[in-house]
Amino acid sequence: MRHRYSILLFPLHVFFDFACLNASFVGAYWLKFDTLDAIAQPPYQLLWVAFNVCWAVIVAITQPYIFPRQLFKAGPLLGKLLYLVVLHAAVISLFWVFVQGVYFSRGQLLYTYLLFVLSGGLFRIGGLLFLQEYRARGYNSRRFIVVGYGKLAHTITRFYEVHPEMGFRFQGYFDWYTADNEAQLAGSYNDIVDFVKREQIDCVYCCLPYVDNTQLKQLVDKSEILDIQVKLLVDFRGFLTKGASVEYHDFLPVLNLSTQEIDNFRVAFLKRCFDVSFSLLVLLLGSPIFLLVAAITRFSSKGPIFYAQERVGHRGHPFMIYKFRSMYVDAEKAGPSLSQGSADNRITPWGRFMRQTRIDELPQFFNVLRGDMSVVGPRPERQYFIDKITEVAPEYTNLLKVKPGITSIGQVRFGYAASVDEMVQRLRFDLLYPDRRSLLLDLWIIAQTLRVMVQGRGR
């Protein structure tokens, strides 16, 4: 019989948390009093019992140990641990007041929770790394099929190929046979039930708009008997990259295709004033540098001084971005391609220096004055690469809530990206910006950018 969750994970998690909690209580008592002689005697005997009973009740109520594999990551695990610890501490505080436990040591209580967070966190990280490696080697895997053959079907299979640590193993595509898909399918709709039983399939992904709705309903009706999970995939990427959003009316999801985000007026007004003032200052004071860079660019290699390219900006609106040309002419005649850093032979010697010091970005201050960009914001990308990124990381669309910028957290911490995978890595930094933007954060990012420019560490 198949199980959607590994049978041993729940009892092991419970056992180790109780072990960590009790070890932390004992360790904290020893740290505070340098002895364990009276720990099992009143009054600490009562507190020790209360610790365990309280933890058991919280675990029974919140059921914190069931995580879907897609959320079985360090962030959710540690976040849930901290939530449980705070909740436990609040209940113990009420118990303390109720029994008027003036004889209990606050230091011992603090040490207990610090030790518990440390030991519980290490246990979770260690268990996570072990399970990821274990599943990546092919053990403890879940088998899935995809119903409804099309581009979206390939997206979900590629996702699990990129993330073998989740332990999902693809078993085939299913759809009605056509001349175009016959060679790609493991069977038609008529073969799904027998295939699920024979191959012990755990999960069925159904892709809209390719899936046959009548067949989908029949599959959902049989899911409980077949002991499978049926999940529906809807391709929102073409809409979400243009700034749309998903709203929930109770349990009903509604896709808003004409969303107009209401920005915080004060932040937006101050940011625009700063952008215009700072850009004018840079253009006026830096004009001799602009002329010098333009001259060197013109005479160091054949081609124009400036390079213009279409990028996608705020709410999905395209615009032309300007830079000092750092590559040879026709560098992308074979198609869209990302720079490979210092090893890229399309970059001119002078262009390599400009990229290291970021001075090739200076003409973008004209984009800022025009309102296409901001001084600070996530780097704008081409639609071609946005489509590639959102296949792996749909959360990229959150960056379209704000204007793109000349510099960003991702540019400072990561730099130029040489592949879609690196773009996704840089995305993790840039996603911090939209919800935290402020004038102080912008000034900090600009200061870090100047440091990178002076040190020549841009890549």
Side-chain angles (χ1 to χ4, degrees):
M1 182 178 177
R2 302 189 311 277
H3 299 274
R4 285 186 171 71
Y5 302 99
S6 300
I7 297 176
L8 294 177
L9 283 181
F10 178 78
L12 281 176
H13 210 156
V14 173
F15 170 78
F16 277 106
D17 268 356
F18 270 103
C20 290
L21 181 67
N22 285 276
S24 300
F25 188 90
V26 173
Y29 189 93
W30 183 83
L31 286 173
K32 181 62 180 177
F33 302 110
D34 201 24
T35 181
L36 297 177
D37 292 343
I39 190 173
Q41 301 174 9
Y44 272 90
Q45 180 188 53
L46 178 62
L47 182 61
W48 197 354
V49 171
F51 255 72
N52 285 273
V53 171
C54 178
W55 187 260
V57 171
I58 288 174
V59 168
I61 294 174
T62 62
Q63 299 181 353
Y65 299 131
I66 297 177
F67 284 90
R69 293 191 177 208
Q70 293 82 356
L71 295 179
F72 197 68
K73 301 176 182 178
L77 286 172
L78 296 178
K80 183 58 70 71
L81 173 63
L82 292 175
Y83 166 75
L84 294 174
V85 168
V86 171
L87 185 59
H88 187 271
V91 176
I92 290 296
S93 298
L94 292 176
F95 168 79
W96 193 319
V97 173
F98 179 77
V99 299
Q100 297 181 350
V102 294
Y103 32 75
F104 295 137
S105 168
R106 292 180 178 83
Q108 190 268 345
L109 188 66
L110 177 61
Y111 289 152
T112 298
Y113 285 121
L114 290 176
L115 290 174
F116 182 48
V117 169
L118 179 62
S119 58
L122 289 176
F123 157 67
R124 282 162 170 76
I125 297 300
L128 173 65
L129 294 176
F130 169 79
L131 273 177
Q132 287 183 341
E133 180 63 24
Y134 189 67
R135 288 168 176 169
R137 292 176 180 270
Y139 303 104
N140 188 230
S141 61
R142 295 289 176 264
R143 301 158 71 84
F144 76 96
I145 61 173
V146 180
V147 178
Y149 184 75
K151 184 179 179 181
L152 187 60
H154 286 285
T155 300
I156 189 63
T157 56
R158 281 198 299 268
F159 173 80
Y160 285 123
E161 287 174 1
V162 173
H163 297 282
E165 74 279 1
M166 291 185 181
F168 279 80
R169 301 291 175 259
F170 174 61
Q171 302 299 311
Y173 298 109
F174 288 81
D175 205 334
W176 294 123
Y177 285 112
T178 66
D180 296 329
N181 68 21
E182 186 173 0
Q184 306 295 327
L185 300 183
S188 70
Y189 286 97
N190 298 328
D191 304 316
I192 292 176
V193 173
D194 290 337
F195 188 89
V196 166
K197 293 178 179 178
R198 184 176 68 252
E199 300 297 330
Q200 295 188 319
I201 301 301
D202 298 282
C203 184
V204 177
Y205 283 95
C206 299
C207 299
L208 287 180
Y210 320 119
V211 68
D212 185 311
N213 288 340
T214 302
Q215 299 296 326
L216 172 61
K217 184 179 184 305
Q218 294 178 5
L219 190 60
V220 172
D221 292 340
K222 295 177 181 178
S223 62
E224 198 166 329
I225 298 174
L226 295 173
D227 191 24
I228 58 174
Q229 290 180 317
V230 178
K231 300 184 179 182
L232 191 63
L233 286 175
V234 184
D235 193 355
F236 288 151
R237 292 169 301 178
F239 302 114
L240 295 182
T241 54
K242 300 303 180 184
S245 63
V246 178
E247 302 172 349
Y248 285 90
H249 298 183
D250 290 332
F251 60 88
L252 183 65
V254 177
L255 182 63
N256 186 353
L257 300 181
S258 58
T259 182
Q260 295 292 328
E261 180 185 353
I262 302 177
D263 294 325
N264 184 295
F265 177 78
R266 182 178 60 85
V267 173
F269 178 75
L270 288 175
K271 187 172 178 61
R272 183 57 183 160
C273 291
F274 172 78
D275 285 343
V276 172
S277 301
F278 188 83
S279 298
L280 287 174
L281 184 65
V282 170
L283 292 173
L284 290 174
L285 299 181
S287 55
I289 298 177
F290 271 65
L291 294 174
L292 178 62
V293 173
I296 298 176
T297 302
R298 179 65 183 87
F299 294 108
S300 61
S301 62
K302 294 181 179 179
I305 295 173
F306 299 103
Y307 173 71
Q309 187 180 73
E310 185 179 274
R311 298 288 177 95
V312 176
H314 190 205
R315 296 185 178 134
H317 297 303
F319 69 97
M320 298 302 295
I321 193 173
Y322 299 100
K323 303 171 68 173
F324 283 119
R325 180 178 55 84
S326 60
M327 290 187 175
Y328 294 105
V329 177
D330 296 329
E332 288 193 326
K333 60 183 178 182
S337 177
L338 293 167
S339 169
Q340 302 302 311
S342 59
D344 196 333
N345 56 16
R346 299 175 303 164
I347 302 175
T348 67
W350 169 244
R352 188 166 290 111
F353 171 79
M354 286 197 295
R355 284 170 171 259
Q356 289 174 344
T357 56
R358 301 281 171 84
I359 59 176
D360 62 318
E361 313 280 2
L362 291 177
Q364 289 166 38
F365 283 103
F366 289 104
N367 286 113
V368 175
L369 290 180
R370 291 176 51 179
D372 299 325
M373 296 176 65
S374 179
V375 176
V376 176
R379 289 295 298 166
E381 297 293 347
R382 286 174 275 182
Q383 188 65 56
Y384 174 85
F385 290 111
I386 290 177
D387 292 339
K388 295 286 187 182
I389 296 170
T390 51
E391 288 181 2
V392 181
E395 60 270 27
Y396 176 86
T397 56
N398 289 330
L399 300 186
L400 300 180
K401 295 178 181 179
V402 297
K403 284 185 181 181
I406 298 176
T407 186
S408 68
I409 301 175
Q411 282 292 93
V412 170
R413 295 298 191 193
F414 191 89
Y416 293 108
S419 65
V420 173
D421 286 341
E422 290 191 357
M423 283 180 163
V424 173
Q425 293 178 44
R426 186 175 65 188
L427 172 66
R428 306 306 173 196
F429 295 102
D430 283 335
L431 282 173
L432 300 172
Y433 184 76
D435 295 330
R436 304 184 185 183
R437 57 191 180 129
S438 67
L439 185 58
L440 288 178
L441 179 58
D442 284 6
L443 292 174
W444 180 85
I445 294 173
I446 291 171
Q448 297 301 310
T449 303
L450 292 173
R451 181 170 59 85
V452 170
M453 293 176 65
V454 171
Q455 295 175 351
R457 294 193 296 107
R459 69 178 188 89

